Amino acid sequence: MYRFELKTFVAVAECRSFTAAAEKVYVSPTAVMKQMNQLEGQLGLMLFTRTNRGLSLTPAGEEFLREARAMIAHCDRLVQRLREQQEASPRILRIGDSLLNPCKPFMELWRGVSGVFPQIKIQILPFEDTARGIQDVIAQIGKTYDFIAGPMDSRDWSSRINFYPLGSYKKMVAVPLGHPLAGKEKLSPEDLHGYTMTMVSRGDSPVNDALRSFLEREHPQIRLYDAGWHYDISTYNDCAENGRLLLNMECWKDVHPVLPAVRRVLRQRPSAARRRSPCRHPGFLHKA
């Protein structure tokens, strides 16, 4: 790429004034004068004749102006051609994929529109579901990953990335094998009385916070066990080992083989609190 001093030199040569050239290249007159002094010193040439009436080009300056214009035009054409080639080349979109944040919902949508964007190719990058790992992935969106597709209802994530809603999932309850509720076809909140249910901790998810408030107010007989702000595979292992229920989503019903019995919690009275949709949006998480 040509040096910025060349553009400044052309501006000075055309304007015959450091001040006028400074307005053209958006720097101060002092900076323009310093650049031209440095350029002449580096070249070992006097490009301008400086008088009280202004600036004029020396013979060397006249020839250097012709060549500088040609160099700038050549570089501009080169950059434009390379940009056009880049736009015509396949673009790679890197999608993060894990057990709890599967790219399947996005891929199902992509199959319907991929023909419209033949220049875009998909690269799937797996990552491990751990409480620490998902935070690292969120920090790498826009760097290692272009986006991930997964459940999204986090104040913390929303403060760091953007998301586009693709749909919604129902809240359900995962029941360990051998649990007294495992044989039931459906569950009501009253069925959960006397049992411990794991759910995300208060403070990060507006949907889960509303559901927690409803359960604490209307069904204090249900013991709630905090799992932190985000589930990982250890959350499922803990519920399976300790026989705890798990507030789950339909997209995660097959995550753990010992928690296969997923039952939707029925609502019995259409109060305002109960009409709130207890679901997370699977979001298209990305950085703008």
Side-chain angles (χ1 to χ4, degrees):
M1 190 64 184
Y2 56 82
R3 295 172 62 94
F4 182 72
E5 288 91 334
L6 287 184
K7 263 199 168 179
T8 305
F9 167 76
V10 171
V12 174
E14 292 175 346
C15 296
R16 296 296 198 267
S17 163
F18 291 133
T19 301
E23 295 180 359
K24 199 170 183 180
V25 297
Y26 305 105
V27 296
S28 68
T30 302
V32 169
M33 188 180 304
K34 183 177 180 180
Q35 285 184 36
M36 293 304 94
N37 290 339
Q38 289 177 343
L39 181 63
E40 287 180 320
Q42 290 168 359
L43 297 176
L45 296 171
M46 183 174 289
L47 303 176
F48 298 100
T49 299
R50 299 161 173 80
T51 67
N52 293 334
R53 290 177 303 220
L55 300 172
S56 61
L57 288 170
T58 64
E62 294 283 359
E63 185 171 351
F64 191 76
L65 175 61
R66 289 192 295 271
E67 295 299 327
R69 284 171 171 162
M71 291 171 63
I72 292 171
H74 173 75
C75 287
D76 288 345
R77 288 193 300 270
L78 173 61
V79 170
Q80 180 62 29
R81 185 171 73 252
L82 293 176
R83 285 175 177 168
E84 291 173 354
Q85 291 175 359
Q86 178 176 283
E87 291 175 0
S89 300
R91 293 184 58 193
I92 305 298
L93 287 181
R94 302 159 300 173
I95 309 174
D97 179 72
S98 71
L99 189 62
L100 296 180
N101 294 277
C103 64
K104 182 180 177 181
F106 172 79
M107 296 307 299
E108 291 174 347
L109 294 174
W110 177 249
R111 279 192 287 271
V113 299
S114 58
V116 182
F117 306 99
Q119 76 279 15
I120 298 179
K121 306 301 179 185
I122 302 297
Q123 183 180 28
I124 297 175
L125 302 177
F127 64 89
E128 187 177 356
D129 284 309
T130 62
R132 173 63 183 171
I134 188 61
Q135 297 301 326
D136 292 340
V137 169
I138 293 300
Q140 287 299 313
I141 291 181
K143 301 173 184 176
T144 303
Y145 309 89
D146 292 309
F147 61 88
I148 64 174
M152 168 63 178
D153 184 41
S154 167
R155 292 188 180 95
D156 175 48
W157 292 4
S158 295
S159 69
R160 294 188 284 160
I161 56 177
N162 296 313
F163 80 97
Y164 183 83
L166 302 177
S168 61
Y169 290 128
K170 294 183 178 68
K171 286 286 189 189
M172 309 180 96
V173 175
V175 183
L177 290 176
H179 193 280
L181 298 179
K184 281 185 168 285
E185 290 295 326
K186 295 180 179 179
L187 296 172
S188 69
E190 287 74 15
D191 291 325
L192 309 183
H193 289 182
Y195 295 110
T196 300
M197 183 173 70
T198 296
M199 67 179 299
V200 297
S201 303
R202 185 185 292 277
D204 186 53
S205 165
V207 169
N208 282 294
D209 287 353
L211 182 56
R212 175 186 285 269
S213 295
F214 162 71
L215 292 174
E216 289 175 344
R217 183 181 64 253
E218 302 288 341
H219 300 278
Q221 302 90 337
I222 303 172
R223 295 186 295 271
L224 300 179
Y225 182 86
D226 289 350
W229 280 0
H230 305 289
Y231 290 173
D232 59 21
I233 195 61
S234 67
T235 308
Y236 287 81
N237 287 333
D238 178 69
C239 289
E241 292 169 8
N242 293 285
R244 281 197 292 268
L245 305 174
L246 177 68
L247 183 65
N248 207 26
M249 287 190 294
E250 57 184 332
C251 61
W252 293 340
K253 63 183 180 180
D254 298 320
V255 166
H256 199 290
V258 184
L259 296 165
V262 181
R263 305 286 185 261
R264 189 171 4 169
V265 176
L266 296 181
R267 294 185 175 171
Q268 298 180 329
R269 295 189 299 276
S271 67
R274 291 176 185 234
R275 284 198 298 269
R276 285 191 175 183
S277 174
C279 63
R280 283 189 172 187
H281 295 290
F284 175 52
L285 311 183
H286 63 99
K287 278 197 175 177

